[in-house]
Amino acid sequence: MTIAPNTTSPQSPEDFVAEPGFAAVSRETRVAPPRYRNEIGKFVVPRPDACGQCGRCGAHGVHVRPWRYNLIIRPFEYRCIGPDCKTSGRYCVGACPNKALSVTLNPVFETIGDFRWTPDLIVSTWKMAETGQLPPSFLESETGNSGGGFDRLRFRFPAAPPKDLRREDISTKLLLNRRDDGREKVTIDVPWYGGGMSFGSTNIHALLAKVRAGKAWNTFSCTGEGGYPQRFIPYADHMIVQVATGLFGVREETIQRAKIVEFKYAQGAKPGLGGHLLGSKNTPSVAAMRETVPGVSLFSPFPFHSVYSVEDHKKHLDWIAHVNPRALLSAKVSTPTDVDMVAVGAYYAGAHIVHTDGSYGGTGAAPNVAKKNIAMPIEYGIGKVHQFLVNEGVRDKVTLIASGGVRTPADIAKAIALGADGIVTGTAELVAIGCIRCTACESGRGCARGIATTDTELLELVTIDWATQRLVNLYSAWREGLIDILYRLGLDSVSALRGRTDLLMHLDYEGSDGAA
Amino acid sequence: MASKYHIHTEPAPPRFRPIGKLGIVEWREDCSSCHNCVKRACVYGLFRDEADALHETHDFLDYIYQCKGCLSCVQNCTKGILTRVVNPEYKRLGDAYFTPDIVAVTWFQSETGKIPVSGGGYNGPFSGAGFDSMWTDMSEIVRPTRDGIHGREYISTSVNIGRKERHLAFKDGQPVPPPPLLEIPMPVIFDVIPSRWRRGPIVAAVAKAAAQTGLLTVVDADDIPASPGRSNANMLPQLARAAQGDAFAAAPVVMLPDGEDVFEAHRALKARSPNRIVVVRTRANPRAADRISRFAAEGVEAICLTFDPHGREDAPANPRHVRDVLREVHRRLIKDGTRDQVTLISSGGIALAEHVTKALLCGADLVAIDVPLLLAMECRLCKECGPGRPCPIALENIDLDYAARRVVNLVGAWHQQLIEMMGAMGMREARRLRGEVGRCMFYEDLERDTFGRLFGQRKADRPAL
């Protein structure tokens, strides 16, 4: 049966039951244009007065004269592909009879981004979210400029992939339950799922888009620790329920609804510290969900005050395992020096998924001192945990998920080659729906771009359908990029890449000469 | 139990408009004065002054400090006449070590007394030189932390200056009183203000901030006015020679410079007042470990190991950073079996709150700071001042109470950050941070153990440090 998408907006969870079409979502890519008129691109093509309005410059959608317009409107500069265009035969600068046009680097482009999310990475993520295609080659879309970790790792591609390997045969599926414990063998279609963002920290429209993209790609999103708004219920099979130290919104029915329950022991951006929702974001609806008083800052403690040992941790997992006999259990931990011990402890306590979140992971608000200094980057943690699990003889009984600084399909592949089974993404999803990494998520009324906010006016800057499409496009492009890497490596599945450090090299080490 | 150490902070707005990083530039001549101007929509109210009179021309307004760089206005303007630039003046702030970002974050803390908090993951480089090439640890399930941050369990930041004997000593059947030991509530003292900044009430303001926070401030003995009661308990006089010591009988700690006759001078001072702690200041250099080992053997109870403002030792080539010198000195003292007999104060190169924690982890008992105190008073490190040359922001005219307030705010914010980091480590005692390399991770070790294991030798032109 096919269900036609319904366009009238649903009012309550019951509407979804009555009209399953409300929750229908497709993984088809469709162009989702940027929501700002002046989208930022790498180049600018100013149109001076010398322009004769001849219209010979109409390539790549930069120069547009809409129907019934007399004049060409202000250029859509973000679509410009730069000087590479010279060879395309449709170069506007060359086509202009008045020599009025010129292409230069966009000065604003150079002011956005940072070491980890370079302007190129931000704009290439926007491109993927807009088109669903891999970004154009004039953007450096694989690595950032942090000078270490993923940014210095490269793949050793063989000269030519095996002849009998076909791209369409490459599997990107990931099995999440590797225990033979009678619980569902949950498999996701792409080796990643969406990270936890709480109702209260992030725009509900963005959260819904995240879980809808998760549904479209048969993967997951996560509630974070802000409770389970009713609007998530139609997507319950794709929503991980997080149990974090504040226990906000943790109830029997939310636990029972989930296919996966995640215990957030720590978060990479602020390991060893609790969460903090600023009072201004704690609106009446957020407060109702968390059963607190509106306007009050909400602190989650650290650690779980019921868990002070591995034995406590086991009891903790047992509790949820009994409340929901079908759920898989995930333990999200940070990357301390003994992360390998922690991971093994989590496994023996009954976790199906061990999720390590590296120190450069995302957050809605954290002390800068914690983001920069506490715990190690995920690039070190993955191999350490993987090797320890292998030595312990339990590697194939547990799914290892890495997060904290995974930005691109190349990063995903590198994380998996280092030893992870899959990854969790968060920041990249927000960039896809327009985040510019100004790091002011927590100030005033919240995110000025309507992403990390609960302000009723700012919420409307992001619409559910648009954001869903952007994420579906991003996932599609990512999967394409990942398959591309697997194909070039001659591997027929993501799982075949796990732990293949022999396929990696590091530009700072001997033997990496000739690397791209 | 002693009362909980708390630093009272209150906002101290800047005297001058701070130099911000980002600015919005507009081509006003192209403005069509449309009714839906993006400036009205700024969620931070940046253009509020202007919005009241949007269609009138008026004077230049400086939005640079408040702009958070969300780019909403730039991206939404109907005519696309707004653009964003990085303030060139911002890039000129500070120097290579006290970077513009460090200057700006110090100003923020001095103004608000609050911990800098932001959203999004860390946006800096993977690692860096000096203190940036180490991470502090945190404790997970198997090593539960104590929740001191929200007050359920007290995290003590107190440290001691002085000698801790290994055992009780007896003489004629009577216990010998233990040597003097001074407790300060936080592992930070204020070092001598460099001469360039000794103008107006700056030194007095630092002293006042020390008194308000219960910390010590090192003051040149010559700068302390010659009158009774001239020093207070929070002053640590730095003597040029031992004979000056008599003038500061009330001071619990004094400091002596290293020199040929330092042991003699030290003995002379101790003979006159055995209950006064004498700190010897010595320059960090490649022989520092030998020198400090000797100090410890000779009975010096506290050493101030001094680096240049950028945290470098004195060495003709490839000077080491605080991080490495402290580790060497600490290990040497442990090997000698004298680590608890001396207090090691590290001065120089401490620019951020995290550096305090990291210096302690590398082996210092406490640190001394100077440049951050001046940044707190809005100094930009322009270095245009000098003997007889005025300060461009007239620091000599700063109000004493206001300047002290700014310093107290900074120290308060640093204290909170120290507690955050200790809380994450599961540590309740700043004394236990000293040399606790088990609670930190060094870049070169992690590289060797992960990538070195996989990829072998590091390239010679890309050393781990």
Side-chain angles (χ1 to χ4, degrees):
Chain A
M1 184 185 78
T2 52
I3 301 162
N6 194 320
T7 46
T8 35
S9 65
Q11 303 299 315
S12 70
E14 288 76 33
D15 291 353
F16 285 96
V17 178
E19 286 279 354
F22 283 134
V25 50
S26 142
R27 64 171 69 167
E28 188 190 335
T29 60
R30 267 173 290 181
V31 173
R35 57 187 160 101
Y36 293 98
R37 169 61 180 83
N38 312 319
E39 185 71 342
I40 295 160
K42 191 163 186 168
F43 305 102
V44 283
V45 197
R47 177 184 295 281
D49 293 342
C51 167
Q53 300 288 340
C54 68
R56 272 175 235 181
C57 51
H60 305 296
V62 176
H63 310 283
V64 178
R65 174 157 45 195
W67 187 57
R68 286 190 171 169
Y69 272 52
N70 289 329
L71 301 178
I72 296 169
I73 62 173
R74 195 154 50 77
F76 289 96
E77 293 169 316
Y78 79 99
R79 293 178 182 156
C80 173
I81 63 169
D84 289 355
C85 187
K86 272 177 200 161
T87 54
S88 74
R90 298 190 293 165
Y91 189 42
C92 63
V93 175
C96 180
N98 293 356
K99 302 267 174 278
L101 296 173
S102 59
V103 174
T104 50
L105 275 179
N106 183 354
V108 177
F109 180 80
E110 288 165 2
T111 70
I112 67 173
D114 49 62
F115 289 95
R116 310 194 67 86
W117 277 91
T118 54
D120 284 78
L121 277 185
I122 292 179
V123 170
S124 61
T125 304
W126 287 347
K127 286 270 183 217
M128 287 189 272
E130 181 182 350
T131 62
Q133 312 285 320
L134 286 172
S137 59
F138 66 84
L139 295 168
E140 171 49 69
S141 59
E142 288 193 359
T143 51
N145 189 25
S146 74
F150 291 138
D151 288 346
R152 300 295 294 170
L153 288 169
R154 296 289 186 277
F155 278 105
R156 291 178 189 278
F157 290 111
K163 286 201 174 59
D164 51 347
L165 184 65
R166 300 191 313 161
R167 279 169 198 265
E168 49 273 34
D169 294 340
I170 296 176
S171 164
T172 56
K173 284 187 188 297
L174 172 63
L175 175 66
L176 294 178
N177 179 8
R178 289 156 202 253
R179 285 173 181 267
D180 295 316
D181 61 352
R183 294 185 186 233
E184 190 184 339
K185 292 279 184 189
V186 176
T187 304
I188 52 180
D189 286 356
V190 284
W192 66 79
Y193 55 83
M197 293 180 205
S198 67
F199 175 61
S201 77
T202 311
N203 186 341
I204 180 80
H205 298 168
L207 297 177
L208 280 163
K210 264 164 61 75
V211 71
R212 281 162 59 83
K215 181 176 178 186
W217 278 99
N218 184 32
T219 179
F220 286 87
S221 184
C222 174
T223 60
E225 84 157 318
Y228 203 116
Q230 293 224 314
R231 298 173 79 175
F232 292 165
I233 293 176
Y235 312 100
D237 280 352
H238 299 278
M239 192 55 122
I240 297 170
V241 170
Q242 190 177 79
V243 177
T245 53
L247 299 176
F248 292 119
V250 174
R251 298 184 198 179
E252 211 166 270
E253 67 262 27
T254 59
I255 298 296
Q256 286 171 346
R257 208 175 275 151
K259 273 193 172 178
I260 302 177
V261 178
E262 172 179 292
F263 297 84
K264 188 180 96 170
Y265 281 94
Q267 183 176 343
K270 43 185 166 183
L273 308 174
H276 181 184
L277 185 76
L278 293 144
S280 55
K281 275 190 169 182
N282 187 9
T283 59
S285 60
V286 172
M289 189 57 60
R290 299 193 183 207
E291 299 177 70
T292 58
V293 180
V296 173
S297 286
L298 299 179
F299 293 93
S300 313
F302 185 88
F304 278 111
H305 286 331
S306 49
V307 181
Y308 277 90
S309 67
V310 164
E311 293 75 22
D312 288 347
H313 168 57
K314 179 158 172 42
K315 272 190 254 175
H316 206 212
L317 264 62
D318 281 349
W319 158 51
I320 299 292
H322 282 92
V323 172
N324 182 347
R326 73 181 181 121
L328 306 187
L329 307 176
S330 162
K332 175 177 178 179
V333 296
S334 174
T335 47
T337 187
D338 56 357
V339 58
D340 40 4
M341 301 285 290
V342 172
V344 168
Y347 164 73
Y348 283 121
H352 300 87
I353 300 169
V354 173
H355 172 185
T356 59
D357 191 22
S359 65
Y360 294 154
T363 174
N368 292 356
V369 72
K371 291 202 292 192
K372 177 178 173 192
N373 299 299
I374 305 179
M376 60 186 170
I378 193 64
E379 290 93 329
Y380 298 134
I382 297 171
K384 202 170 157 105
V385 173
H386 171 69
Q387 208 51 51
F388 202 80
L389 291 169
V390 168
N391 296 345
E392 191 74 10
V394 299
R395 183 65 189 88
D396 289 325
K397 297 279 174 210
V398 65
T399 304
L400 174 62
I401 298 286
S403 65
V406 181
R407 302 151 297 183
T408 62
D411 286 355
I412 299 174
K414 288 169 192 170
I416 293 172
L418 285 171
D421 288 296
I423 64 103
V424 159
T425 173
T427 304
E429 293 179 321
L430 299 188
V431 171
I433 59 172
C435 169
I436 195 139
R437 302 239 337 133
C438 67
T439 73
C441 321
E442 81 303 337
S443 45
R445 290 160 64 195
C447 169
R449 299 174 76 91
I451 296 164
T453 183
T454 52
D455 183 281
T456 46
E457 190 186 343
L458 296 174
L459 287 183
E460 300 306 323
L461 293 175
V462 177
T463 58
I464 298 170
D465 285 343
W466 175 81
T468 305
Q469 192 60 53
R470 296 276 288 191
L471 293 178
V472 166
N473 289 352
L474 180 77
Y475 281 17
S476 182
W478 272 17
R479 183 166 182 274
E480 213 49 51
L482 189 57
I483 286 180
D484 205 48
I485 292 169
L486 292 170
Y487 178 76
R488 290 172 65 196
L489 290 170
L491 300 172
D492 64 356
S493 69
V494 161
S495 49
L497 178 61
R498 188 188 77 194
R500 290 291 302 275
T501 50
D502 59 306
L503 298 175
L504 287 173
M505 62 185 152
H506 192 298
L507 297 185
D508 295 348
Y509 288 80
E510 298 287 349
S512 67
D513 294 322
Chain B
M1 186 186 151
S3 67
K4 198 169 165 174
Y5 180 58
H6 174 76
I7 297 175
H8 176 72
T9 60
E10 53 187 70
R15 289 194 303 152
F16 298 89
R17 188 181 280 275
I19 299 165
K21 182 172 185 179
L22 300 169
I24 300 295
V25 176
E26 64 178 295
W27 307 107
R28 180 58 77 83
E29 57 267 41
D30 281 359
C31 176
S32 60
S33 296
C34 65
H35 65 283
N36 54 349
C37 182
V38 288
K39 290 181 176 179
R40 288 208 179 97
C42 176
V43 300
Y44 307 110
L46 207 63
F47 305 97
R48 203 173 284 136
D49 302 346
E50 193 182 321
D52 295 339
L54 208 57
H55 299 282
E56 297 162 22
T57 54
H58 41 67
D59 294 339
F60 171 72
L61 287 170
D62 184 359
Y63 305 121
I64 283 172
Y65 175 49
Q66 292 102 338
C67 177
K68 304 241 186 217
C70 72
L71 284 171
S72 297
C73 60
V74 172
Q75 285 193 255
N76 263 336
C77 172
T78 319
K79 298 271 283 177
I81 59 167
L82 301 177
T83 186
R84 180 171 85 173
V85 291
V86 175
N87 183 2
E89 213 183 339
Y90 181 82
K91 292 186 196 162
R92 284 200 300 272
L93 283 179
D95 56 32
Y97 194 85
F98 291 88
T99 59
D101 289 347
I102 289 180
V103 174
V105 83
T106 306
W107 286 350
F108 169 84
Q109 294 170 83
S110 313
E111 178 181 343
T112 62
K114 289 182 178 158
I115 307 182
V117 171
S118 63
Y122 178 58
N123 54 13
F126 189 82
S127 69
F131 287 127
D132 283 351
S133 60
M134 61 189 284
W135 291 274
T136 66
D137 203 7
M138 56 84 66
S139 68
E140 205 93 49
I141 308 157
V142 293
R143 266 197 335 224
T145 183
R146 304 298 197 277
D147 191 343
I149 297 160
H150 300 133
R152 273 176 284 265
E153 271 188 80
Y154 185 52
I155 292 180
S156 164
T157 54
S158 292
V159 292
N160 300 108
I161 301 177
R163 168 186 289 265
K164 287 177 187 159
E165 292 291 8
R166 270 176 288 197
H167 47 75
L168 289 174
F170 291 89
K171 196 175 176 188
D172 305 330
Q174 293 298 314
V176 179
L181 198 63
L182 180 75
E183 179 171 335
I184 58 168
M186 189 179 157
V188 172
I189 62 173
F190 304 153
D191 211 337
V192 179
I193 299 299
S195 58
R196 169 196 291 281
W197 285 284
R198 281 186 223 162
R199 48 180 75 217
I202 290 180
V203 172
V206 170
K208 183 164 182 173
Q212 284 179 3
T213 50
L215 303 176
L216 297 176
T217 176
V218 187
V219 184
D220 253 347
D222 297 333
D223 282 359
I224 302 176
S227 61
R230 56 205 179 162
S231 72
N232 63 44
N234 296 95
M235 276 192 188
L236 197 170
Q238 172 168 268
L239 314 174
R241 54 199 178 278
Q244 270 182 316
D246 291 344
F248 303 100
V253 198
V254 294
M255 190 180 279
L256 263 182
D258 194 0
E260 278 179 17
D261 57 349
V262 63
F263 298 110
E264 208 175 298
H266 182 260
R267 271 192 295 276
L269 276 169
K270 288 304 271 188
R272 262 184 230 138
S273 23
N275 279 322
R276 186 164 58 189
I277 299 163
V278 181
V279 184
V280 174
R281 185 196 287 275
T282 187
R283 294 285 313 172
N285 58 41
R287 296 169 311 283
D290 290 341
R291 185 72 180 158
I292 290 173
S293 169
R294 170 97 197 279
F295 281 136
E298 295 278 346
V300 174
E301 64 226 299
I303 294 145
C304 180
L305 183 60
T306 305
F307 297 81
D308 79 1
H310 292 190
R312 290 171 299 207
E313 65 178 355
D314 285 345
N318 301 322
R320 292 173 299 167
H321 184 259
V322 183
R323 190 196 97 135
D324 304 303
V325 179
L326 281 178
R327 290 186 75 191
E328 188 198 0
V329 170
H330 177 73
R331 277 198 297 255
R332 175 64 177 272
L333 290 172
I334 287 181
K335 193 159 152 267
D336 293 348
T338 53
R339 184 61 190 92
D340 276 335
Q341 269 91 75
V342 286
T343 302
L344 189 58
I345 305 170
S346 175
S347 174
I350 304 295
L352 289 165
E354 70 212 45
H355 296 172
V356 178
T357 319
K358 288 180 174 180
L360 265 55
L361 289 169
C362 288
D365 289 278
L366 63 151
V367 300
I369 57 171
D370 48 11
V371 178
L373 304 171
L374 301 154
L375 297 180
M377 299 178 200
E378 288 182 88
C379 175
R380 286 119 213 253
L381 294 185
C382 67
K383 307 276 173 68
E384 280 171 26
C385 55
R389 280 161 59 203
C391 168
I393 57 160
L395 270 177
E396 52 272 11
N397 298 334
I398 197 168
D399 178 68
L400 188 143
D401 288 334
Y402 169 82
R405 169 63 44 211
R406 297 270 300 189
V407 173
V408 169
N409 283 349
L410 180 69
V411 175
W414 279 28
H415 180 247
Q416 286 297 317
Q417 288 170 82
L418 177 61
I419 286 184
E420 292 273 355
M421 294 182 86
M422 288 175 65
M425 279 186 265
M427 303 278 271
R428 294 177 60 185
E429 274 274 353
R431 294 181 184 94
R432 284 191 50 213
L433 282 179
R434 185 193 71 195
E436 180 53 283
V437 288
R439 292 286 164 98
C440 63
M441 298 171 262
F442 292 96
Y443 172 66
E444 63 273 27
D445 297 343
L446 289 172
E447 279 288 315
R448 190 191 55 233
D449 294 346
T450 30
F451 298 136
R453 194 174 56 78
L454 297 175
F455 307 119
Q457 200 61 38
R458 231 181 136 86
K459 282 183 184 168
D461 61 337
R462 299 199 64 93
L465 279 178

